Amino acid sequence: MKISNLVCRLLATSVATAALFAAPAAAADKPIRIGLVSFLSGPAAGPFGVPARIAAEAIVESLNAGTAPAPYNAIGFSGVPIELVIIDEAGGATKQVAEFRNLVERQQVDFVIGYISSGDCLAIPPVAEELKKLTVLFDCGTPRVFEEGTYKYVFRTRPHATMDAVAGARYLLDTRPDLASYAGINQNYAWGQDSWNDWTAVMSVLRPKAEIVTSQMPKFGAGQYGAEISALMQSRPDVIHSSLWGGDLEAFMLQSTPRGLFRRSGLLLIAGEPNLHRLVGNIPDGTIVGARGPHGVFAPKSALNDWLRSIYRARTGLDPNYPAYSAAQAFLGLKAAYEKARLDKVRNATPMGAAEGVKEGMEEAYKMPSTDEVIAAFEYLTFDGPSGKVMMKLGKGHQAVQGTAYGTTRTVGGQIKIENIKYYPVEQVQPPEGMSSIDWIKGGLKPGKW
Amino acid sequence: MKRERTVVILTIVLAAMLVFAPFLPNWTMFLFTVALCYGIVVLGMMLLIRTGLVSFGHGLYYCLGAYAAGTLEPLFGITELAVMLGSAVAICAGVSAILALLLRRYRDIFFAMLSLAFSMILYGLLVKTSSLGSTDGFNVTVKTMLGVHIAGTAYERYLIFAVTALIAWVCAVLIHRYLNSHRGRLAEAIRDNELRVEYMGASVANTIHLNYVMSAILAGLGGALMAVSVGHIDPEMAYWTTSGEFVFISILSGTGSVLAPFLGATIFESIRSFAYEYSPNTWQMALGAAMLLVIMFLPGGLWSLFRRSGRSAM
Amino acid sequence: MTQLVAVLIDGLIYSSWLFIMAIGLTLIYGVMKILNIAHGSLFALGAYTAASLAGYWFEQGYPAMGSYAVMLVSAVLVGIIAGPLLERGLLRFMYGRDEIVLVLVTYATFLILEDFIKLVWGVDPYFLYQPYGLLGSFDIADLTYPNYNLLLLAIAVAIGAVLAWALTRTRQGKILIAVIHDREMAASQGVNVSRVYFVTFTLGAMLGALGGALTAPMISVQPGIGAETIVLAFAVVVIGGLGSLPGAALAALLVGIVRAATVHFRPELDLFSIYFVMAAVLIVRPKGLFSTQEARKI
């Protein structure tokens, strides 16, 4: 009895597994529809939204062709091709909630991957729960999503923003142990405020004696930074912290470099990585940059990394920046969860009792996994991304964690190189489960158990 | 009889909506809910436009209403819909009664821009308030409706829709009655020539004051209902583009009847929703073109399509 | 002390920039009574065209100083193409309609042009940073400023002076003032109002584009720059009194200095400064700083 059971299970598993990877499954006539929500217009489109969309399209094309490296070499998801429905993220949270409903109900997507803006990432999860639609937040940073709420249908495959300040400060103090003063220039909206608050909190723990000489808060999209630059120059900080991004960052750099601001002060850019290639000649050597996770220039060499770089380069002629890595992580994470759910289904399908149940078991196993099954597989999953291992370890298994890296820029022969890269493991830069970021920072940044 | 026709139509539409809504797909019901919320705000805008005043800052009350409703939970733990709406009405009435003392002296573009300045100051204040999530805003939940627990139930969406529709109906009927009252009729006279209105012994200032407060209350109600149906609020609601959208819908609708704002809002929401879907890269262009077409060919707004011979509904 | 000097200089630079942004808007309003939201798009078109053409100029390795001429040409180009197109193709059908309707017409135009720009130039930002540093810099009060800022100041003063001179000292200017004062009366005296409108709008469009072209070297030219600028320009125009040239100059100065002072002394209030100034000015002077008393028609 026992042995025949075992044989049946083994047989069923191996047959089904082979079927999974060898040929498109039974339901292959209907592709899996994934809604992709990303900025296609407005200031966030250039640096974030469009690179993410291009990466998503390239990845889907490659996955559908089955040309991605192992373990992602099965066609589509478990042999079923994927189809993208792309929506613009512009317009604010109210419109995005409406669009999310349309995407789910009118467009009948199976999964949603999206959201770069933190406001959208806070507004969407309750609706995803209501509509019971598995939603992967792919690029936004606010830790509030899973620190203030618990969700069943919502995942985020990218680490949250706390590590920006923590790793940035560690790197800064590692490389400039004599630091005595700092200043900030951040946009006056949630992202800039949070970034600066995290930063001052971390610095007050790691270097309590350092003096804050000025905190400039220009409004989002201000464009003109003359007075801010004067104020920064006159206060002569050792280093300037900035979470400016995209066009605002570029305008600030264009206006401050000719004025010699960086001959007086160093610069640390929290979100500068997507703009690096554009800032050649307008960024001082020794600028500290990070990418929230070892993405882009920080990504260690691997088959997956080479794959992403080559398919992205083929479309744009550029190297992928961190939003492209975020998009890749979301698609690969979902694929990993989906295929794991499929495998788990096959493994559990064969009945424990009589051998005659095998047929029904096989049929059941051939069916695509349900959303609940994918969720069960996704929680606490560890998967490989182009920048290394991603672990879904926070937010009850719904929030990804990764280590991160910082480095300094040097312009060599018209190209910006990153030197002195230092990697920081998860426990040094992320709060442990069940503790809010700000409590963890104020409590002295004690490494948690992972 | 004529006067009652609008009320009859409103009632029929309301009844039809309440009956058929449960059979509609969820997204359609949501679209209608949003359109009704906008419609209530635009109803208030219409009141002002008939007086000859266009506010580029009505987002002030829309946002204030939403925050008045939404902050009750973080501040006092209140999640009862009736209290939330009541708080929105009270706060908007209070603030607008004070601001109207100043604003009623202004006309034309100066009225528009001073309103805009006030709404942008509220925007700035909310952006600075990181305890309310700054620009990220926060989520709003309704747990009970007149004491009955509705959160997470299957009919939650429908109930919110039904309440919105009911409130929209009440507002529309009341405004319709008001527009046909003595003071209500003064609005258009003021727009045409306020000096003459003064000569006749009516108070322009008081009429504008009253209309302004009423329109603020409607905007606040719309904002609060929007907060409840979307489940999330952020300071963007006070940004000038939001107010611009209300003006946009008002002109699109026309000011011929209290039905017009709801019609205009529904069409606006539909255009936007489908433009988003079918031309994700050029939806602004589609909206702009639709707007131009209406202004060019339907000077009285969409409502003029329904007014065949002369004046009927009004 | 050095901080006060910095406030003054920063304020002055910002004011001249604001004035250049606002001047076309106030001109068009003054003559045509159109509050032109599409001014923001013209600004963006100017910036994009300058970035593309001057970018090409640098790529070809032509003399760097020529780029300033290229920027100027870009602005003129945008002005003489977009201006007539909008005025003849759209606005002239709308004359006589309510002021608010006209605002919405330009708003709709703004929406269309925003997407048009996106279709032509894409969403990736453009750079034209060379002209900003090319003119060298000067040191004052412990600070360094690129001379480009002086160029802005000079251009602002020049535009203001030329317009003021043209309005008060030339025949065309006097005709313009007649049209501003009473359009129907001017028309009955044989003034070709339609032509005046045409020229004014084209000139206004050119000034809007010039603002964009001059701003391009300081920013990254990207989608959405028009929307950010238009509100500032609006505020300046309204504070100054709609349609008033000296009003716009004074308002730009006021807003510029107040903003610089906020940034230096209370940076956290920067978000509000312009709206506080606007509300304060309008409360004291309900029609802006330089407003003319209008006759009430009975």
Side-chain angles (χ1 to χ4, degrees):
Chain A
M1 264 306 266
K2 261 191 175 173
I3 290 181
S4 70
N5 240 337
L6 194 69
V7 171
C8 281
R9 287 194 68 157
L10 271 177
L11 197 72
T13 310
S14 52
V15 167
T17 314
L20 260 177
F21 290 103
D29 46 317
K30 197 170 147 274
I32 295 172
R33 281 164 75 81
I34 298 182
L36 176 73
V37 189
S38 179
F39 280 103
L40 305 180
S41 61
F48 304 134
V50 171
R53 193 202 73 200
I54 294 172
E57 286 170 342
I59 290 163
V60 167
E61 189 186 277
S62 174
L63 289 183
N64 282 346
T67 53
Y72 300 106
N73 48 357
I75 285 174
F77 284 5
S78 296
V80 186
I82 318 162
E83 188 179 281
L84 278 183
V85 180
I86 299 173
I87 292 280
D88 188 358
E89 196 185 329
T94 310
K95 272 156 225 162
Q96 285 312 314
V97 166
E99 289 317 311
F100 182 84
R101 286 174 188 279
N102 291 340
L103 205 52
V104 170
E105 290 169 343
R106 209 154 74 196
Q107 300 268 11
Q108 304 273 328
V109 297
D110 299 294
F111 306 103
V112 178
I113 291 178
Y115 305 107
I116 292 169
S117 142
S118 287
D120 294 337
C121 279
L122 290 169
I124 293 295
V127 193
E129 295 288 297
E130 183 197 325
L131 300 178
K132 304 199 183 335
K133 187 57 64 181
L134 204 171
T135 301
V136 183
L137 309 174
F138 84 99
D139 195 61
C140 54
T142 180
R144 286 173 62 199
V145 180
F146 293 103
E147 284 179 4
E148 290 179 3
T150 306
Y151 302 105
K152 180 183 172 194
Y153 293 91
V154 183
F155 292 83
R156 178 160 58 187
T157 46
R158 187 188 181 201
H160 65 65
T162 302
M163 60 164 50
D164 289 347
V166 180
R170 288 191 194 281
Y171 186 88
L172 178 65
L173 297 176
D174 284 350
T175 48
R176 295 203 47 181
D178 57 329
L179 187 98
S181 65
Y182 60 95
I185 176 162
N186 296 282
Q187 290 140 314
N188 207 339
Y189 80 109
W191 158 247
Q193 292 167 1
D194 290 351
S195 188
W196 175 245
N197 290 341
D198 281 358
W199 178 259
T200 50
V202 173
M203 287 300 280
S204 70
V205 169
L206 296 181
R207 181 61 57 91
K209 282 193 198 124
E211 188 195 355
I212 306 174
V213 290
T214 181
S215 160
Q216 291 297 324
M217 282 271 168
K219 81 180 177 65
F220 178 78
Q224 302 288 325
Y225 299 98
E228 282 86 350
I229 294 166
S230 298
L232 287 171
M233 289 182 81
Q234 288 188 330
S235 60
R236 292 177 180 268
D238 283 345
V239 73
I240 298 165
H241 163 276
S242 179
S243 62
L244 294 177
W245 55 267
D248 284 7
L249 170 64
E250 292 177 353
F252 173 69
M253 298 304 291
L254 294 187
Q255 289 166 37
S256 47
T257 306
R259 295 184 60 181
L261 172 61
F262 306 120
R263 285 196 294 274
R264 296 185 184 183
S265 306
L267 178 65
L268 184 142
L269 295 176
I270 295 288
E273 192 268 346
N275 296 72
L276 276 188
H277 67 278
R278 298 172 41 83
L279 284 169
V280 179
N282 290 295
I283 191 165
D285 284 351
T287 301
I288 300 172
V289 290
R292 197 182 310 152
H295 305 315
V297 284
F298 302 103
K301 190 169 168 53
S302 71
L304 270 173
N305 190 21
D306 292 344
W307 165 72
L308 180 67
R309 289 167 68 95
S310 74
I311 58 174
Y312 191 89
R313 267 201 160 276
R315 291 199 173 215
T316 59
L318 293 169
D319 284 329
N321 59 8
Y322 78 67
Y325 278 77
S326 304
Q329 238 158 264
F331 277 89
L332 297 182
L334 184 58
K335 180 176 162 78
Y338 190 93
E339 291 177 351
K340 177 167 179 279
R342 188 83 202 282
L343 269 180
D344 288 350
K345 217 170 144 71
V346 171
R347 286 206 186 98
N348 300 332
T350 322
M352 296 296 286
E356 57 263 29
V358 169
K359 187 162 172 285
E360 287 74 21
M362 291 285 286
E363 272 169 11
E364 171 61 25
Y366 261 119
K367 282 188 195 142
M368 289 296 132
S370 68
T371 299
D372 279 0
E373 287 162 335
V374 178
I375 287 169
F378 215 156
E379 284 176 348
Y380 297 103
L381 179 72
T382 296
F383 63 93
D384 288 310
S387 56
K389 284 242 176 300
V390 183
M391 297 171 285
M392 305 297 293
K393 275 200 170 167
L394 284 179
K396 301 195 170 57
H398 289 245
Q399 163 70 55
V401 293
Q402 267 181 299
T404 190
Y406 267 85
T408 45
T409 60
R410 197 155 75 91
T411 312
V412 187
Q415 274 201 320
I416 293 176
K417 301 268 181 247
I418 301 289
E419 303 180 328
N420 262 335
I421 298 180
K422 279 185 203 285
Y423 290 90
Y424 295 89
V426 174
E427 63 272 16
Q428 280 191 20
V429 295
Q430 290 275 277
E433 175 80 335
M435 189 181 254
S436 85
S437 294
I438 201 72
D439 288 345
W440 180 63
I441 293 171
K442 287 188 175 148
L445 302 157
K446 294 187 186 70
K449 274 203 189 121
W450 290 89
Chain B
M1 240 348 256
K2 255 189 178 174
R3 194 188 282 187
E4 291 310 314
R5 223 178 74 183
T6 306
V7 179
V8 172
I9 295 177
L10 277 171
T11 314
I12 293 174
V13 173
L14 173 76
M17 278 184 139
L18 292 183
V19 171
F20 291 115
F23 307 105
L24 291 175
N26 199 318
W27 68 266
T28 325
M29 197 156 84
F30 187 75
L31 194 149
F32 277 125
T33 317
V34 170
L36 283 167
C37 295
Y38 275 146
I40 296 173
V41 182
V42 175
L43 190 66
M45 295 285 290
M46 185 180 105
L47 211 57
L48 282 180
I49 291 176
R50 287 169 75 103
T51 324
L53 298 171
V54 176
S55 165
F56 275 129
H58 241 45
L60 171 66
Y61 300 107
Y62 178 67
C63 183
L64 208 57
Y67 272 78
T71 47
L72 285 182
E73 187 185 1
L75 291 181
F76 311 107
I78 297 173
T79 51
E80 160 63 41
L81 182 63
V83 182
M84 291 162 84
L85 295 181
S87 136
V89 169
I91 286 181
C92 287
V95 173
S96 65
I98 296 167
L99 282 187
L101 288 174
L102 183 68
L103 280 165
R104 67 188 193 184
R105 288 164 35 208
Y106 293 78
R107 300 291 179 271
D108 303 327
I109 216 76
F110 298 97
F111 176 82
M113 293 306 283
L114 192 56
S115 315
L116 182 142
F118 285 130
S119 88
M120 288 304 289
I121 287 172
L122 175 69
Y123 172 78
L125 284 173
L126 290 176
V127 168
K128 292 293 303 173
T129 315
S130 44
S131 57
L132 291 178
S134 181
T135 44
D136 280 351
F138 59 94
N139 291 343
V140 177
T141 41
V142 178
K143 295 225 170 71
T144 57
M145 191 180 277
L146 296 174
V148 183
H149 186 86
I150 62 158
T153 57
Y155 42 86
E156 182 186 4
R157 282 291 128 204
Y158 175 72
L159 279 182
I160 287 174
F161 166 77
V163 166
T164 310
L166 212 64
I167 290 176
W169 180 84
V170 171
C171 293
V173 169
L174 287 179
I175 295 296
H176 180 69
R177 294 250 187 268
Y178 172 72
L179 288 178
N180 284 299
S181 72
H182 174 70
R183 201 183 270 280
R185 283 172 190 276
L186 271 181
E188 281 178 306
I190 290 173
R191 179 172 66 182
D192 291 342
N193 194 321
E194 53 182 85
L195 220 50
R196 287 186 194 171
V197 175
E198 289 277 353
Y199 285 164
M200 289 190 314
S203 167
V204 171
N206 287 349
T207 309
I208 290 181
H209 198 121
L210 182 66
N211 286 359
Y212 185 79
V213 172
M214 281 200 288
S215 83
I217 291 175
L218 287 172
L221 257 182
L225 285 167
M226 187 67 105
V228 167
S229 13
V230 171
H232 183 87
I233 54 180
D234 57 38
E236 188 86 15
M237 297 175 94
Y239 201 66
W240 70 273
T241 46
T242 311
S243 308
E245 221 157 65
F246 295 142
V247 179
F248 194 109
I249 305 176
S250 305
I251 303 295
L252 189 80
S253 315
T255 55
S257 157
V258 292
L259 283 163
F262 297 99
L263 182 79
T266 311
I267 290 177
F268 176 82
E269 262 310 293
S270 313
I271 294 180
R272 184 169 64 195
S273 164
F274 284 96
Y276 244 91
E277 187 174 320
Y278 292 108
S279 59
N281 290 306
T282 50
W283 57 273
Q284 296 191 81
M285 199 176 249
L287 265 188
M291 185 71 204
L292 279 185
L293 288 177
V294 168
I295 293 175
M296 285 248 195
F297 299 108
L298 297 170
L302 287 168
W303 185 246
S304 48
L305 282 178
F306 293 82
R307 249 170 47 165
R308 262 173 253 109
S309 54
R311 312 164 59 79
S312 61
M314 272 301 302
Chain C
M1 188 55 213
T2 51
Q3 219 171 2
L4 279 181
V5 176
V7 168
L8 219 60
I9 297 170
D10 289 331
L12 208 59
I13 293 169
Y14 191 63
S15 304
S16 42
W17 180 77
L18 276 176
F19 181 71
I20 299 173
M21 297 306 115
I23 187 71
L25 197 65
T26 205
L27 179 73
I28 291 177
Y29 184 85
V31 178
M32 305 168 73
K33 298 283 175 286
I34 295 177
L35 199 55
N36 182 20
I37 296 186
H39 198 70
S41 316
L42 292 164
F43 169 86
L45 278 173
Y48 270 106
T49 312
S52 302
L53 292 185
Y56 177 78
W57 184 268
F58 282 109
E59 248 170 52
Q60 297 302 310
Y62 296 139
M65 284 298 165
S67 59
Y68 297 100
V70 177
M71 283 157 61
L72 200 66
V73 169
S74 313
V76 173
L77 219 60
V78 171
I80 57 172
I81 296 174
L85 221 60
L86 288 179
E87 203 274 338
R88 287 290 97 180
L90 182 68
L91 291 175
R92 85 186 152 105
F93 302 108
M94 304 291 175
Y95 295 144
R97 298 279 286 273
D98 208 64
E99 252 179 57
I100 291 301
V101 173
L102 284 166
V103 172
L104 281 172
V105 169
T106 60
Y107 181 54
T109 314
F110 168 77
L111 289 179
I112 294 175
L113 285 178
E114 282 290 284
D115 272 354
F116 170 77
I117 290 172
K118 218 167 66 184
L119 289 178
V120 176
W121 280 279
V123 291
D124 267 338
Y126 284 71
F127 270 166
L128 175 64
Y129 58 86
Q130 296 91 334
Y132 190 58
L134 217 53
L135 297 175
S137 56
F138 65 96
D139 287 327
I140 188 167
D142 193 25
L143 294 170
T144 309
Y145 290 94
N147 286 332
Y148 188 82
N149 291 317
L150 294 180
L151 181 72
L152 275 188
L153 185 63
I155 291 177
V157 172
I159 293 176
V162 167
L163 273 182
W165 171 79
L167 278 176
T168 50
R169 296 274 181 272
T170 65
R171 200 178 119 79
Q172 264 69 27
K174 284 175 179 162
I175 291 177
L176 203 65
I177 287 177
V179 174
I180 292 173
H181 205 69
D182 195 327
R183 186 169 61 115
E184 281 162 24
M185 193 57 90
S188 70
Q189 298 287 316
V191 174
N192 186 346
V193 173
S194 160
R195 206 179 123 246
V196 171
Y197 277 16
F198 176 79
V199 173
T200 308
F201 193 84
T202 307
L203 192 63
M206 219 179 275
L207 287 170
L210 181 68
L214 289 173
T215 313
M218 298 189 280
I219 59 167
S220 128
V221 182
Q222 62 169 2
I225 51 171
E228 292 302 330
T229 316
I230 191 66
V231 191
L232 285 179
F234 260 29
V236 168
V237 167
V238 169
I239 292 170
L242 282 162
S244 161
L245 194 67
L250 193 62
L253 210 58
L254 188 66
V255 171
I257 299 282
V258 169
R259 177 163 184 272
T262 334
V263 167
H264 278 274
F265 300 115
R266 300 298 302 275
E268 69 276 10
L269 295 182
D270 177 35
L271 201 62
F272 307 87
S273 58
I274 191 163
Y275 300 104
F276 273 136
V277 173
M278 182 153 100
V281 167
L282 285 185
I283 287 170
V284 181
R285 303 243 343 148
K287 295 201 162 183
L289 293 173
F290 281 62
S291 52
T292 45
Q293 196 62 43
E294 262 178 52
R296 300 221 285 178
K297 286 182 186 146
I298 299 179

